Amino acid sequence: MLNHLTNVQKALLYLGIVCIFMFLLLVLPIPRSTALFMFVPLASAVAAMALTGQAFAASGWKRLGLHRPAWKSLAPAFLIPLAPIAGGYAVVWATGLGTFGLPAAYEGKELELFIGFFVTMLISALTVTLGEEAGWRGYLASNLEGLAFPAALLANGFVWGLFHLPVMLLTDLYHSDVNPLAYVPLFLITVTLAGAFMTYLRYRTGSVWPPIVAHTVHNVAWNYGDLLTGEPHEAVPYVTGDAGAALILFYAGLFLWIVTKGRLPAWNR
């Protein structure tokens, strides 16, 4: 039992297990899906907790942050990620990089789409997004508290971005329609900064549910933005969506505000 590891060592153990699971999913002759990869962080967290003995005590499971709902923080966690994506698509529509409107197949189904947004959010939040966030903002974040506050935020976001690259570059499941040489740097910067914001939510509230909400809104809003954008120019993914200039500018400004004006967690005061 590896029950004498430091927090940093536990973080490294977790990342090593993530790498093993990702390798196995990539090389084994099994049906693959994006959802399958997104459960790797949770599976890795449980494995790391079992190896370190944390899985055998209630206090160990509390480190994932699932026990605390943090209701008051769910509204900003919902609204803040909408801003850069909506703003980015507004720029796309205003500049003619794409047209705003519903595809013909969805005409007259506006209410269904509106309700579908929240239904999709709920299902995603309780499945694949929870699978990611319980690992990254749950287990990993709880073991980075020894780092300086800005470093902990950026480190968490950066490794989260790296986690996506094998799926993006070695499969056709995720962003297979972009130029990786141009898109991967934008994606890594976006995810590092967005992940820093989600990690801040985790530290400020002690809960993983606000990051789950923020992450889910990001994913669903991006998909709805694509749905509402007709005749998209090839530049659209580099402006907004899952990554792009609009998100980088927004989250860079938010990160600067967090580290200069934001309410810091107790361990960094």
Side-chain angles (χ1 to χ4, degrees), residues 102-116 224 227:
L102 282 173
Y106 291 94
E107 289 181 1
K109 298 181 179 179
E110 292 82 0
L111 180 59
E112 292 178 31
L113 281 174
F114 179 77
I115 296 173
Y224 267 65
L227 178 67

Side-chain angles (χ1 to χ4, degrees), residues 228-255:
L228 295 172
T229 303
E231 302 177 357
H233 189 275
E234 61 183 13
V236 170
Y238 307 96
V239 176
T240 188
D242 195 25
L247 283 83
I248 290 173
L249 292 173
F250 178 86
Y251 281 114
L254 185 58
F255 177 76

Side-chain angles (χ1 to χ4, degrees), residues 76-129:
F78 178 89
L79 294 172
I80 289 173
L82 283 176
I85 295 178
Y89 279 106
V91 169
V92 166
W93 300 327
T95 57
L97 292 175
T99 59
F100 173 76
L102 282 173
Y106 291 94
E107 289 181 1
K109 298 181 179 179
E110 292 82 0
L111 180 59
E112 292 178 31
L113 281 174
F114 179 77
I115 296 173
F117 180 91
F118 294 98
V119 172
T120 303
M121 267 205 61
L122 180 62
I123 294 172
S124 178
L126 297 177
T127 55
V128 291
T129 312

Side-chain angles (χ1 to χ4, degrees), residues 1-3 48-57 60:
M1 190 76 67
L2 305 174
N3 54 359
M49 289 169 61
L51 290 171
T52 58
Q54 292 172 297
F56 308 105

